[in-house]
Amino acid sequence: MFKKTLFPTLIMATAASISHAQAADLTISCGAVGAELQLCQEGVRAWEEKTGHSVDVVSTPNSSTERLSLYQQILSANSTDIDIMQIDVVWPGLLANHLLDLREVLGDAAGEGHFDTIIENNTIDGRLVAMPWFTDAGVLYYRKDLLEKHGHDVPDTWEQLTETARVIRNAERAEGSERMQGFVFQGRAYEGLTVNALEWVASHGGGTIVDSDGEITIDNPRAAAALDLAASWIGDISPNGVLNYTEEEARGVFQGGNAVFMRNWPYAWALAQSEDSEVRGKVGVTQLPYSGENNSAAGLGGWNLAVSRYSENPELAVDLVAFLTGDEEQKRRAIAGAYNPTLESLYQDEEVLEAVPFFGDLYETFVNAVARPSAPTGDAYGRVSNAFFSAAHDVLSGNKTGEQAVSDLDRDLSRVKRRNW
Ligand code: GLC
């Protein structure tokens, strides 16, 4: 088993070298955020030992936006180079035509025990195009020790978070922690900002960009206010650099002990609690804040395993997918890496709950997470998300007010909608 990294600019050359060098029976592409690649390799190794087959593991870029364009290039070339792909929860509609219906191999029982909503999400025109591997929802990480030291409660609202972050950041800096930040999140112009900004907007009562009937709802004062609030953080409780942060940059600052609050996904828990973490034992996890009378909104994320229609070994590929998404692997990944199982029963498993207590405490957050509008916009979702994260980034960067941005976005999305959904 060897490891390669694929990046869009190198794709043609890399793809060619894979086919020549390939001795393995299968190739799987996995993410490499945090401990993701290692966990994937360990799971694959267990299957290799069990079956005697060999698998090549290929890593992909961390940004979901970059991964998507890489996969689109590979699939639109009908390439046989990658058999199994780790695909984002917002991609089934975009990629379905290139993916195998897993029920053709696994039968009708495929998907049993997994959350129905994810199976529905992965079923396009009656075809189950990916098996759920792990689910994700945005959560708020906070420094228990600093809140206690400075006498502050865990914030319920965005306004409280803003104030608490500012007070503690200033006090810590005055005591010599010059690099202390108040709040870090994912502010780069990419898919991660789509989720962060959706969380701000939805928790202000400003909707989900496009509703489940396909109506564009983003041009409203609550959405504008949510974006303006986030813009006010930049250069105050959040560093200017957050405009270029993905998950891993935010985690780096928080895990290095340099932020009071962080928005991230559950995976950051296992790493923040690891032996070499500066914040081990000092971290709490809770639901994201809301504003006014509205509810907290955790953006729904997650990843699935799909088999390419161009695979030369489809049945074997499906067997590996079934193994990796099965009970044993999901449990191992939950305990070792805090990856949320998609198998409902694992949320009652004592070893899982001991390793990641908030899987129990925040269960409602996970099952009620707010979806990005990938279902109603179908294969136009990529364009919708790009337009939304660009608009949000414009507001964060001070190029537009929230009001201007949502009005321009409404116009842009209406144009996309006329042609696509
Ligand atoms: C996480 C989520 C995924 C999302 C991505 C954005 O990986 O699981 O759904 O698209 O973050 O950065």
mmCIF file of all heavy atoms in Angstrom, residues 33 36 62-65 67 86 88-91 134-137 186 190-196 246-247 263 265 267 300-303 372 381, ligand 1:
data_model
loop_
_atom_site.group_PDB
_atom_site.id
_atom_site.type_symbol
_atom_site.label_atom_id
_atom_site.label_comp_id
_atom_site.label_asym_id
_atom_site.label_seq_id
_atom_site.Cartn_x
_atom_site.Cartn_y
_atom_site.Cartn_z
ATOM 1 N N VAL A 33 -7.672 15.570 6.496
ATOM 2 C CA VAL A 33 -7.828 16.602 7.528
ATOM 3 C C VAL A 33 -7.586 15.965 8.894
ATOM 4 O O VAL A 33 -8.185 14.936 9.207
ATOM 5 C CB VAL A 33 -9.259 17.201 7.480
ATOM 6 C CG1 VAL A 33 -9.478 18.184 8.612
ATOM 7 C CG2 VAL A 33 -9.511 17.869 6.136
ATOM 8 N N GLU A 36 -7.450 12.038 9.597
ATOM 9 C CA GLU A 36 -8.317 11.330 8.645
ATOM 10 C C GLU A 36 -7.582 10.294 7.796
ATOM 11 O O GLU A 36 -8.043 9.162 7.638
ATOM 12 C CB GLU A 36 -8.911 12.389 7.711
ATOM 13 C CG GLU A 36 -10.359 12.222 7.422
ATOM 14 C CD GLU A 36 -10.869 13.303 6.477
ATOM 15 O OE1 GLU A 36 -10.119 14.212 6.061
ATOM 16 O OE2 GLU A 36 -12.052 13.213 6.142
ATOM 17 N N ASN A 62 -7.344 19.263 1.365
ATOM 18 C CA ASN A 62 -8.212 19.457 2.528
ATOM 19 C C ASN A 62 -9.480 20.238 2.221
ATOM 20 O O ASN A 62 -10.502 20.023 2.857
ATOM 21 C CB ASN A 62 -7.445 20.181 3.640
ATOM 22 C CG ASN A 62 -6.554 19.231 4.405
ATOM 23 O OD1 ASN A 62 -6.591 18.025 4.184
ATOM 24 N ND2 ASN A 62 -5.758 19.768 5.306
ATOM 25 N N SER A 63 -9.406 21.177 1.306
ATOM 26 C CA SER A 63 -10.584 21.996 1.031
ATOM 27 C C SER A 63 -11.591 21.195 0.211
ATOM 28 O O SER A 63 -11.263 20.638 -0.840
ATOM 29 C CB SER A 63 -10.158 23.249 0.263
ATOM 30 O OG SER A 63 -11.224 23.721 -0.519
ATOM 31 N N SER A 64 -12.818 21.155 0.727
ATOM 32 C CA SER A 64 -13.866 20.409 0.034
ATOM 33 C C SER A 64 -14.070 20.963 -1.384
ATOM 34 O O SER A 64 -14.333 20.212 -2.323
ATOM 35 C CB SER A 64 -15.151 20.507 0.853
ATOM 36 O OG SER A 64 -16.212 19.930 0.181
ATOM 37 N N THR A 65 -13.922 22.262 -1.538
ATOM 38 C CA THR A 65 -14.103 22.887 -2.849
ATOM 39 C C THR A 65 -13.050 22.373 -3.840
ATOM 40 O O THR A 65 -13.355 22.061 -4.993
ATOM 41 C CB THR A 65 -14.005 24.426 -2.700
ATOM 42 O OG1 THR A 65 -14.973 24.823 -1.729
ATOM 43 C CG2 THR A 65 -14.262 25.151 -4.003
ATOM 44 N N ARG A 67 -11.381 19.531 -3.543
ATOM 45 C CA ARG A 67 -11.606 18.100 -3.758
ATOM 46 C C ARG A 67 -12.648 17.872 -4.829
ATOM 47 O O ARG A 67 -12.517 16.994 -5.662
ATOM 48 C CB ARG A 67 -12.131 17.454 -2.474
ATOM 49 C CG ARG A 67 -11.076 16.956 -1.587
ATOM 50 C CD ARG A 67 -11.723 16.085 -0.505
ATOM 51 N NE ARG A 67 -11.083 16.354 0.759
ATOM 52 C CZ ARG A 67 -11.450 15.812 1.904
ATOM 53 N NH1 ARG A 67 -12.471 14.971 1.942
ATOM 54 N NH2 ARG A 67 -10.821 16.096 3.010
ATOM 55 N N GLN A 86 -14.227 9.317 -1.441
ATOM 56 C CA GLN A 86 -14.863 9.872 -0.248
ATOM 57 C C GLN A 86 -15.579 11.141 -0.694
ATOM 58 O O GLN A 86 -14.940 12.106 -1.119
ATOM 59 C CB GLN A 86 -13.784 10.190 0.787
ATOM 60 C CG GLN A 86 -14.351 10.824 2.035
ATOM 61 C CD GLN A 86 -13.289 11.129 3.077
ATOM 62 O OE1 GLN A 86 -12.257 10.477 3.129
ATOM 63 N NE2 GLN A 86 -13.542 12.126 3.904
ATOM 64 N N ASP A 88 -18.468 14.328 -0.235
ATOM 65 C CA ASP A 88 -19.122 15.208 0.727
ATOM 66 C C ASP A 88 -20.649 15.012 0.667
ATOM 67 O O ASP A 88 -21.203 14.682 -0.398
ATOM 68 C CB ASP A 88 -18.756 16.662 0.366
ATOM 69 C CG ASP A 88 -18.946 17.632 1.521
ATOM 70 O OD1 ASP A 88 -19.791 17.371 2.391
ATOM 71 O OD2 ASP A 88 -18.247 18.669 1.541
ATOM 72 N N VAL A 89 -21.296 15.277 1.789
ATOM 73 C CA VAL A 89 -22.751 15.113 1.890
ATOM 74 C C VAL A 89 -23.502 16.011 0.890
ATOM 75 O O VAL A 89 -24.649 15.721 0.534
ATOM 76 C CB VAL A 89 -23.192 15.384 3.361
ATOM 77 C CG1 VAL A 89 -23.043 16.849 3.745
ATOM 78 C CG2 VAL A 89 -24.586 14.894 3.650
ATOM 79 N N VAL A 90 -22.855 17.061 0.397
ATOM 80 C CA VAL A 90 -23.533 17.950 -0.558
ATOM 81 C C VAL A 90 -23.262 17.581 -2.020
ATOM 82 O O VAL A 90 -23.700 18.290 -2.924
ATOM 83 C CB VAL A 90 -23.151 19.439 -0.314
ATOM 84 C CG1 VAL A 90 -23.888 19.976 0.888
ATOM 85 C CG2 VAL A 90 -21.651 19.635 -0.154
ATOM 86 N N TRP A 91 -22.571 16.492 -2.252
ATOM 87 C CA TRP A 91 -22.235 16.158 -3.638
ATOM 88 C C TRP A 91 -23.053 15.070 -4.333
ATOM 89 O O TRP A 91 -22.928 14.948 -5.570
ATOM 90 C CB TRP A 91 -20.770 15.710 -3.749
ATOM 91 C CG TRP A 91 -19.747 16.683 -3.323
ATOM 92 C CD1 TRP A 91 -19.911 18.017 -3.058
ATOM 93 C CD2 TRP A 91 -18.353 16.403 -3.101
ATOM 94 N NE1 TRP A 91 -18.708 18.565 -2.687
ATOM 95 C CE2 TRP A 91 -17.738 17.603 -2.700
ATOM 96 C CE3 TRP A 91 -17.591 15.247 -3.210
ATOM 97 C CZ2 TRP A 91 -16.385 17.679 -2.401
ATOM 98 C CZ3 TRP A 91 -16.239 15.321 -2.918
ATOM 99 C CH2 TRP A 91 -15.645 16.531 -2.516
ATOM 100 N N PHE A 134 -19.251 9.002 7.845
ATOM 101 C CA PHE A 134 -19.410 9.735 9.110
ATOM 102 C C PHE A 134 -20.226 10.979 8.855
ATOM 103 O O PHE A 134 -20.253 11.502 7.745
ATOM 104 C CB PHE A 134 -18.070 10.070 9.765
ATOM 105 C CG PHE A 134 -17.140 10.980 9.002
ATOM 106 C CD1 PHE A 134 -17.123 12.346 9.251
ATOM 107 C CD2 PHE A 134 -16.259 10.472 8.056
ATOM 108 C CE1 PHE A 134 -16.241 13.196 8.572
ATOM 109 C CE2 PHE A 134 -15.381 11.305 7.358
ATOM 110 C CZ PHE A 134 -15.370 12.668 7.617
ATOM 111 N N THR A 135 -20.927 11.411 9.898
ATOM 112 C CA THR A 135 -21.702 12.638 9.778
ATOM 113 C C THR A 135 -20.970 13.733 10.547
ATOM 114 O O THR A 135 -19.989 13.472 11.239
ATOM 115 C CB THR A 135 -23.162 12.427 10.219
ATOM 116 O OG1 THR A 135 -23.902 13.623 9.989
ATOM 117 C CG2 THR A 135 -23.283 12.033 11.671
ATOM 118 N N ASP A 136 -21.396 14.953 10.370
ATOM 119 C CA ASP A 136 -20.695 16.099 10.937
ATOM 120 C C ASP A 136 -21.720 17.166 11.273
ATOM 121 O O ASP A 136 -22.742 17.283 10.599
ATOM 122 C CB ASP A 136 -19.771 16.698 9.861
ATOM 123 C CG ASP A 136 -18.289 16.555 10.174
ATOM 124 O OD1 ASP A 136 -17.960 16.202 11.313
ATOM 125 O OD2 ASP A 136 -17.470 16.810 9.271
ATOM 126 N N ALA A 137 -21.436 17.955 12.311
ATOM 127 C CA ALA A 137 -22.256 19.129 12.586
ATOM 128 C C ALA A 137 -21.360 20.138 13.264
ATOM 129 O O ALA A 137 -20.487 19.768 14.067
ATOM 130 C CB ALA A 137 -23.433 18.771 13.485
ATOM 131 N N GLN A 186 -13.950 29.219 10.168
ATOM 132 C CA GLN A 186 -13.506 28.979 8.792
ATOM 133 C C GLN A 186 -13.974 30.135 7.907
ATOM 134 O O GLN A 186 -15.132 30.174 7.504
ATOM 135 C CB GLN A 186 -14.055 27.644 8.269
ATOM 136 C CG GLN A 186 -13.479 26.415 8.975
ATOM 137 C CD GLN A 186 -14.053 26.188 10.378
ATOM 138 O OE1 GLN A 186 -15.262 26.197 10.561
ATOM 139 N NE2 GLN A 186 -13.193 26.015 11.376
ATOM 140 N N TYR A 190 -14.426 29.328 0.560
ATOM 141 C CA TYR A 190 -14.540 27.925 0.125
ATOM 142 C C TYR A 190 -15.755 27.323 0.826
ATOM 143 O O TYR A 190 -16.461 28.008 1.582
ATOM 144 C CB TYR A 190 -13.249 27.138 0.447
ATOM 145 C CG TYR A 190 -13.133 26.675 1.890
ATOM 146 C CD1 TYR A 190 -13.034 25.322 2.205
ATOM 147 C CD2 TYR A 190 -13.164 27.585 2.942
ATOM 148 C CE1 TYR A 190 -12.945 24.894 3.522
ATOM 149 C CE2 TYR A 190 -13.084 27.153 4.263
ATOM 150 C CZ TYR A 190 -12.981 25.809 4.543
ATOM 151 O OH TYR A 190 -12.914 25.393 5.847
ATOM 152 N N GLU A 191 -15.990 26.045 0.584
ATOM 153 C CA GLU A 191 -17.179 25.375 1.110
ATOM 154 C C GLU A 191 -17.352 25.540 2.624
ATOM 155 O O GLU A 191 -18.469 25.651 3.128
ATOM 156 C CB GLU A 191 -17.122 23.889 0.732
ATOM 157 C CG GLU A 191 -18.373 23.098 1.047
ATOM 158 C CD GLU A 191 -19.585 23.571 0.243
ATOM 159 O OE1 GLU A 191 -19.427 24.047 -0.893
ATOM 160 O OE2 GLU A 191 -20.708 23.461 0.778
ATOM 161 N N GLY A 192 -16.248 25.554 3.341
ATOM 162 C CA GLY A 192 -16.335 25.697 4.801
ATOM 163 C C GLY A 192 -16.984 27.009 5.219
ATOM 164 O O GLY A 192 -17.719 27.073 6.211
ATOM 165 N N LEU A 193 -16.747 28.081 4.456
ATOM 166 C CA LEU A 193 -17.393 29.357 4.783
ATOM 167 C C LEU A 193 -18.887 29.283 4.474
ATOM 168 O O LEU A 193 -19.699 29.880 5.181
ATOM 169 C CB LEU A 193 -16.719 30.515 4.033
ATOM 170 C CG LEU A 193 -17.343 31.906 4.238
ATOM 171 C CD1 LEU A 193 -17.421 32.290 5.719
ATOM 172 C CD2 LEU A 193 -16.560 32.970 3.460
ATOM 173 N N THR A 194 -19.247 28.536 3.444
ATOM 174 C CA THR A 194 -20.678 28.346 3.187
ATOM 175 C C THR A 194 -21.355 27.792 4.441
ATOM 176 O O THR A 194 -22.410 28.274 4.852
ATOM 177 C CB THR A 194 -20.901 27.390 1.985
ATOM 178 O OG1 THR A 194 -20.533 28.088 0.788
ATOM 179 C CG2 THR A 194 -22.351 26.949 1.873
ATOM 180 N N VAL A 195 -20.719 26.818 5.100
ATOM 181 C CA VAL A 195 -21.350 26.229 6.284
ATOM 182 C C VAL A 195 -21.356 27.237 7.447
ATOM 183 O O VAL A 195 -22.377 27.434 8.101
ATOM 184 C CB VAL A 195 -20.648 24.935 6.734
ATOM 185 C CG1 VAL A 195 -21.456 24.261 7.832
ATOM 186 C CG2 VAL A 195 -20.437 23.994 5.587
ATOM 187 N N ASN A 196 -20.210 27.867 7.707
ATOM 188 C CA ASN A 196 -20.157 28.833 8.812
ATOM 189 C C ASN A 196 -21.193 29.940 8.622
ATOM 190 O O ASN A 196 -21.942 30.275 9.542
ATOM 191 C CB ASN A 196 -18.763 29.474 8.897
ATOM 192 C CG ASN A 196 -17.736 28.595 9.593
ATOM 193 O OD1 ASN A 196 -17.252 28.903 10.674
ATOM 194 N ND2 ASN A 196 -17.381 27.465 8.975
ATOM 195 N N THR A 246 -9.099 27.566 6.957
ATOM 196 C CA THR A 246 -9.997 26.414 6.818
ATOM 197 C C THR A 246 -10.059 25.762 8.209
ATOM 198 O O THR A 246 -9.593 26.350 9.199
ATOM 199 C CB THR A 246 -9.469 25.393 5.780
ATOM 200 O OG1 THR A 246 -8.263 24.801 6.274
ATOM 201 C CG2 THR A 246 -9.205 26.058 4.439
ATOM 202 N N GLU A 247 -10.570 24.550 8.283
ATOM 203 C CA GLU A 247 -10.694 23.850 9.571
ATOM 204 C C GLU A 247 -9.343 23.742 10.280
ATOM 205 O O GLU A 247 -9.231 23.981 11.476
ATOM 206 C CB GLU A 247 -11.236 22.429 9.356
ATOM 207 C CG GLU A 247 -12.708 22.338 9.031
ATOM 208 C CD GLU A 247 -13.054 22.672 7.581
ATOM 209 O OE1 GLU A 247 -12.136 22.901 6.759
ATOM 210 O OE2 GLU A 247 -14.261 22.726 7.275
ATOM 211 N N ARG A 263 -15.110 27.617 16.265
ATOM 212 C CA ARG A 263 -16.163 26.838 15.585
ATOM 213 C C ARG A 263 -15.423 25.777 14.760
ATOM 214 O O ARG A 263 -14.526 26.089 13.982
ATOM 215 C CB ARG A 263 -16.971 27.750 14.660
ATOM 216 C CG ARG A 263 -18.138 27.049 13.959
ATOM 217 C CD ARG A 263 -17.704 26.477 12.643
ATOM 218 N NE ARG A 263 -18.771 25.681 12.047
ATOM 219 C CZ ARG A 263 -18.566 24.573 11.345
ATOM 220 N NH1 ARG A 263 -17.357 24.110 11.135
ATOM 221 N NH2 ARG A 263 -19.574 23.917 10.835
ATOM 222 N N TRP A 265 -15.655 21.184 13.563
ATOM 223 C CA TRP A 265 -16.393 19.925 13.511
ATOM 224 C C TRP A 265 -15.897 19.029 14.648
ATOM 225 O O TRP A 265 -14.813 19.283 15.211
ATOM 226 C CB TRP A 265 -16.135 19.246 12.170
ATOM 227 C CG TRP A 265 -16.411 20.096 10.984
ATOM 228 C CD1 TRP A 265 -15.490 20.821 10.260
ATOM 229 C CD2 TRP A 265 -17.673 20.345 10.364
ATOM 230 N NE1 TRP A 265 -16.114 21.478 9.237
ATOM 231 C CE2 TRP A 265 -17.443 21.203 9.270
ATOM 232 C CE3 TRP A 265 -18.975 19.909 10.626
ATOM 233 C CZ2 TRP A 265 -18.481 21.645 8.436
ATOM 234 C CZ3 TRP A 265 -19.999 20.349 9.797
ATOM 235 C CH2 TRP A 265 -19.743 21.200 8.724
ATOM 236 N N TYR A 267 -14.253 16.327 14.780
ATOM 237 C CA TYR A 267 -12.921 15.701 14.695
ATOM 238 C C TYR A 267 -11.888 16.440 15.535
ATOM 239 O O TYR A 267 -10.913 15.848 16.013
ATOM 240 C CB TYR A 267 -12.446 15.617 13.230
ATOM 241 C CG TYR A 267 -11.733 16.862 12.740
ATOM 242 C CD1 TYR A 267 -10.342 16.949 12.773
ATOM 243 C CD2 TYR A 267 -12.448 17.969 12.296
ATOM 244 C CE1 TYR A 267 -9.686 18.101 12.356
ATOM 245 C CE2 TYR A 267 -11.804 19.115 11.883
ATOM 246 C CZ TYR A 267 -10.422 19.186 11.914
ATOM 247 O OH TYR A 267 -9.783 20.335 11.522
ATOM 248 N N LEU A 300 -24.994 20.978 8.804
ATOM 249 C CA LEU A 300 -24.838 19.538 8.599
ATOM 250 C C LEU A 300 -23.709 19.270 7.611
ATOM 251 O O LEU A 300 -23.681 19.829 6.521
ATOM 252 C CB LEU A 300 -26.141 18.952 8.034
ATOM 253 C CG LEU A 300 -26.094 17.474 7.650
ATOM 254 C CD1 LEU A 300 -25.962 16.594 8.885
ATOM 255 C CD2 LEU A 300 -27.343 17.092 6.862
ATOM 256 N N GLY A 301 -22.783 18.432 8.029
ATOM 257 C CA GLY A 301 -21.721 18.009 7.121
ATOM 258 C C GLY A 301 -21.662 16.503 7.102
ATOM 259 O O GLY A 301 -22.566 15.826 7.596
ATOM 260 N N GLY A 302 -20.585 15.980 6.586
ATOM 261 C CA GLY A 302 -20.391 14.534 6.612
ATOM 262 C C GLY A 302 -19.856 14.022 5.301
ATOM 263 O O GLY A 302 -19.909 14.702 4.272
ATOM 264 N N TRP A 303 -19.336 12.793 5.365
ATOM 265 C CA TRP A 303 -18.692 12.199 4.195
ATOM 266 C C TRP A 303 -19.167 10.771 3.986
ATOM 267 O O TRP A 303 -19.521 10.070 4.934
ATOM 268 C CB TRP A 303 -17.171 12.268 4.364
ATOM 269 C CG TRP A 303 -16.685 13.693 4.306
ATOM 270 C CD1 TRP A 303 -16.658 14.592 5.345
ATOM 271 C CD2 TRP A 303 -16.239 14.415 3.153
ATOM 272 N NE1 TRP A 303 -16.208 15.812 4.893
ATOM 273 C CE2 TRP A 303 -15.939 15.733 3.566
ATOM 274 C CE3 TRP A 303 -16.063 14.077 1.807
ATOM 275 C CZ2 TRP A 303 -15.472 16.715 2.686
ATOM 276 C CZ3 TRP A 303 -15.585 15.051 0.926
ATOM 277 C CH2 TRP A 303 -15.297 16.346 1.365
ATOM 278 N N ARG A 372 -27.278 22.320 4.009
ATOM 279 C CA ARG A 372 -27.072 23.282 2.923
ATOM 280 C C ARG A 372 -28.062 22.937 1.802
ATOM 281 O O ARG A 372 -28.490 21.781 1.708
ATOM 282 C CB ARG A 372 -25.618 23.165 2.409
ATOM 283 C CG ARG A 372 -24.604 23.791 3.338
ATOM 284 C CD ARG A 372 -23.198 23.264 3.072
ATOM 285 N NE ARG A 372 -22.955 22.016 3.794
ATOM 286 C CZ ARG A 372 -21.844 21.265 3.682
ATOM 287 N NH1 ARG A 372 -20.881 21.645 2.855
ATOM 288 N NH2 ARG A 372 -21.691 20.169 4.389
ATOM 289 N N TYR A 381 -25.765 23.033 -7.253
ATOM 290 C CA TYR A 381 -25.327 23.372 -5.889
ATOM 291 C C TYR A 381 -23.929 23.993 -5.849
ATOM 292 O O TYR A 381 -23.683 24.930 -5.097
ATOM 293 C CB TYR A 381 -25.399 22.151 -4.941
ATOM 294 C CG TYR A 381 -24.809 22.539 -3.602
ATOM 295 C CD1 TYR A 381 -25.523 23.384 -2.745
ATOM 296 C CD2 TYR A 381 -23.513 22.160 -3.228
ATOM 297 C CE1 TYR A 381 -24.961 23.830 -1.549
ATOM 298 C CE2 TYR A 381 -22.948 22.596 -2.045
ATOM 299 C CZ TYR A 381 -23.676 23.430 -1.214
ATOM 300 O OH TYR A 381 -23.113 23.886 -0.042
HETATM 301 C C1 GLC B 1 -16.521 19.129 6.752
HETATM 302 C C2 GLC B 1 -17.913 18.621 6.479
HETATM 303 C C3 GLC B 1 -18.281 18.785 5.033
HETATM 304 C C4 GLC B 1 -18.085 20.218 4.623
HETATM 305 C C5 GLC B 1 -16.682 20.679 4.911
HETATM 306 C C6 GLC B 1 -16.519 22.158 4.624
HETATM 307 O O1 GLC B 1 -15.569 18.311 6.154
HETATM 308 O O2 GLC B 1 -18.054 17.286 6.873
HETATM 309 O O3 GLC B 1 -19.591 18.373 4.805
HETATM 310 O O4 GLC B 1 -18.404 20.440 3.282
HETATM 311 O O5 GLC B 1 -16.355 20.438 6.257
HETATM 312 O O6 GLC B 1 -15.250 22.606 4.890
#
